[in-house]
Amino acid sequence: MKARVHIFLKPGVLDPQGQAVAHSLKHLGFDEVSDARQGKLIEIDLDTADAEEAQRRVDDMCKQLLANPVIENYDIELSA
Amino acid sequence: MKARVHIFLKPGVLDPQGQAVAHSLKHLGFDEVSDARQGKLIEIDLDTADAEEAQRRVDDMCKQLLANPVIENYDIELSA
């Protein structure tokens, strides 16, 4: 199965990349943009069919390598 | 409403970041990992309530700024 991990900076942590995106979009005429945040997206192919097990293992991966829990939040989305 | 834009390199384009992630995860003992890809995730707050209009505008943002259509694919996910 596939896991998609979305990693964002926690609210309150300065996000200069997101600010640059929001600023550039407004500059291009997209006036409806009020804010933007940039994060990381990691897609992982897993040799397992057990969704519960996959969720637990990907959570371990986030804690050990993919995310920095001090400044980042993450969520995991599994698909077959 | 909020838009989440997922941006990935197209299949066939070399993704050294994704390879490094897959390699590191295997090294940490996550042997079920067969492949990984790293992409960008951009979350945009929009001052509009019309989902169809938002989809069209965010698509324009991707084409003009957020994604490089030569080497990247993107998908857009809207939520209220």
Side-chain angles (χ1 to χ4, degrees), chain A:
Chain A
M1 63 197 321
K2 271 181 205 290
R4 267 192 176 186
V5 182
H6 302 108
I7 302 169
F8 274 113
L9 289 168
K10 287 186 178 175
V13 179
L14 190 67
D15 177 10
Q17 279 187 302
Q19 286 174 355
V21 166
H23 183 83
S24 301
L25 287 173
K26 279 180 209 165
H27 189 73
L28 285 170
F30 296 105
D31 297 313
E32 70 269 49
V33 173
S34 60
D35 197 12
R37 286 162 298 286
Q38 181 156 349
K40 280 184 291 183
L41 177 59
I42 298 167
E43 199 173 72
I44 303 166
D45 295 340
L46 298 162
D47 292 331
T48 173
D50 180 344
E52 212 167 295
E53 165 80 3
Q55 175 83 28
R56 203 177 50 75
R57 293 283 284 176
V58 176
D59 196 63
D60 283 346
M61 293 176 200
C62 289
K63 287 187 181 131
Q64 287 185 41
L65 179 77
L66 303 177
N68 176 350
V70 178
I71 55 165
E72 291 172 330
N73 285 331
Y74 60 87
D75 59 79
I76 299 164
E77 203 178 278
L78 294 170
S79 60

Side-chain angles (χ1 to χ4, degrees), chain B residues 21-75:
Chain B
V21 166
H23 183 82
S24 301
L25 287 173
K26 280 181 208 163
H27 188 74
L28 286 170
F30 296 103
D31 298 313
E32 70 269 47
V33 173
S34 60
D35 197 12
R37 288 162 297 287
Q38 181 158 347
K40 278 184 294 182
L41 177 60
I42 298 167
E43 199 172 76
I44 304 166
D45 295 340
L46 298 162
D47 291 331
T48 173
D50 180 345
E52 211 167 297
E53 164 80 3
Q55 175 83 27
R56 202 176 51 74
R57 292 284 283 176
V58 176
D59 196 63
D60 283 346
M61 293 177 200
C62 290
K63 285 186 183 133
Q64 288 184 43
L65 179 77
L66 304 177
N68 176 349
V70 178
I71 56 165
E72 291 172 329
N73 285 331
Y74 60 87
D75 60 79

